[in-house]
Amino acid sequence: MSNPLLPVTDKSIDLSLLHPRFIQRLEDFFSDGRIGNRVSICSGCRSYAAQKALYDRYKRGKGNLAANPDWKRPDGFFRGSFHQEQPDGYSYAVDLRIVKRGITTDKVTAIADRYGIRPTVKGEWWHFQPRNGNSWFNRSGSVFLGRPEEPPEPEVNWAGIQAIIDDMGRQIGMMPLRRGSKGNIVKVAQSKLNSLDFNCGIADGVYGRKTLKAVLMLQRTMLLKESGTMDHKTWTAMWKPEVPIGL
């Protein structure tokens, strides 16, 4: 049964196995007036088969990072992806998506943090789990009471990453990428296109036919001039948090 307090991007998204205390935090988060109707859950609980399909797609270089559903985590308790049902019968992860303008990923993360929900996968702002500091819930009454806390994840220099993206954008502004272009910037563009499901094959740094088609599809989706050239406007649009996933 759907939860009216938890907006989803698709009715097929399953939230039935989320831990009750995680659900409470999500309800509080979505009730925050600053979130409004700008954010929705785009992925919740996953079956083994669904996780394996995502993992296989990732291994082929055609999707985002996905955990091996058969991997047993070092703590000896958790397994596979936290989207999957864990041995205690619950799952502990959701993916969020910005569905309307007016809020940034940084703002979403800051608001979520106030409710004990944090992104836990490096480079994936959208993957949220219930966290207080490095532990799942407050130590008192935690379903994981007695388990060692996880080590803190390394901090990501997001400002530095953004500076690199902006610098590449300036280079593209002076010399747009087109069929036949080669180099690291092409490879970065290909990786980003693939992560958005605008499939351009292996990110090999060569702007070929598949990359051209992927750029055209991105431009069509973002209502840009369909030139097939990765110009500055296309590059900037590609990195916007609200860019739709490829069709």
Side-chain angles (χ1 to χ4, degrees):
M1 184 171 63
S2 62
N3 184 331
L5 298 179
L6 301 181
V8 294
T9 57
D10 188 278
K11 292 181 180 179
S12 65
I13 293 172
D14 180 16
L15 305 178
S16 62
L17 296 179
L18 294 180
H19 191 281
R21 296 178 70 183
F22 187 19
I23 290 176
Q24 181 61 60
R25 293 186 183 192
L26 288 168
E27 289 176 347
D28 292 342
F29 165 74
F30 281 108
S31 296
D32 192 300
R34 294 168 295 177
I35 295 299
N37 58 354
R38 300 183 180 95
V39 180
S40 292
I41 297 172
C42 61
S43 184
C45 311
R46 297 175 191 157
S47 65
Y48 174 90
Q51 183 63 33
K52 189 173 189 309
L54 289 173
Y55 177 68
D56 290 344
R57 180 177 173 81
Y58 161 67
K59 292 292 286 184
R60 294 195 301 270
K62 296 184 177 181
N64 292 325
L65 175 67
N68 182 343
D70 294 311
W71 180 49
K72 194 164 187 179
R73 294 177 176 270
D75 56 22
F77 181 78
F78 296 111
R79 63 192 178 202
S81 167
F82 286 111
H83 285 280
Q84 292 174 244
E85 180 180 358
Q86 297 300 319
D88 63 353
Y90 297 110
S91 62
Y92 293 89
V94 296
D95 292 347
L96 301 183
R97 179 181 296 170
I98 294 175
V99 294
K100 288 191 176 181
R101 297 178 185 274
I103 196 167
T104 64
T105 56
D106 287 343
K107 188 67 173 178
V108 171
T109 301
I111 296 172
D113 185 67
R114 294 193 60 187
Y115 297 102
I117 306 168
R118 295 181 177 181
T120 58
V121 177
K122 183 178 180 180
E124 295 189 355
W125 77 267
W126 56 84
H127 179 90
F128 284 81
Q129 294 181 244
R131 294 295 173 94
N132 278 338
N134 296 319
S135 60
W136 288 88
F137 301 109
N138 292 326
R139 299 302 289 174
S140 58
S142 168
V143 291
F144 306 116
L145 188 61
R147 297 190 180 279
E149 293 188 355
E150 298 178 356
E153 297 183 8
E155 292 188 6
V156 179
N157 182 5
W158 295 114
I161 293 174
Q162 187 61 54
I164 293 172
I165 293 172
D166 291 343
D167 181 64
M168 289 182 174
R170 284 189 288 271
Q171 294 181 55
I172 288 174
M174 294 184 289
M175 187 178 295
L177 305 177
R178 50 178 52 88
R179 188 165 186 176
S181 297
K182 298 179 181 180
N184 287 333
I185 299 182
V186 175
K187 192 171 185 178
V188 170
Q190 290 171 324
S191 296
K192 181 61 175 176
L193 287 165
N194 281 334
S195 75
L196 296 170
D197 278 351
F198 295 104
N199 180 28
C200 56
I202 297 173
D204 57 4
V206 179
Y207 201 120
R209 180 177 57 84
K210 288 186 177 180
T211 303
L212 174 66
K213 290 179 65 176
V215 171
L216 281 169
M217 184 61 72
L218 170 67
Q219 290 171 332
R220 185 173 306 158
T221 302
M222 298 299 290
L223 303 179
L224 300 173
K225 180 181 178 181
E226 296 178 31
S227 63
T229 297
M230 178 63 72
D231 53 20
H232 186 267
K233 184 175 289 187
T234 304
W235 174 268
T236 301
M238 182 173 67
W239 292 96
K240 289 183 177 179
E242 64 270 18
V243 59
I245 298 299
L247 302 176

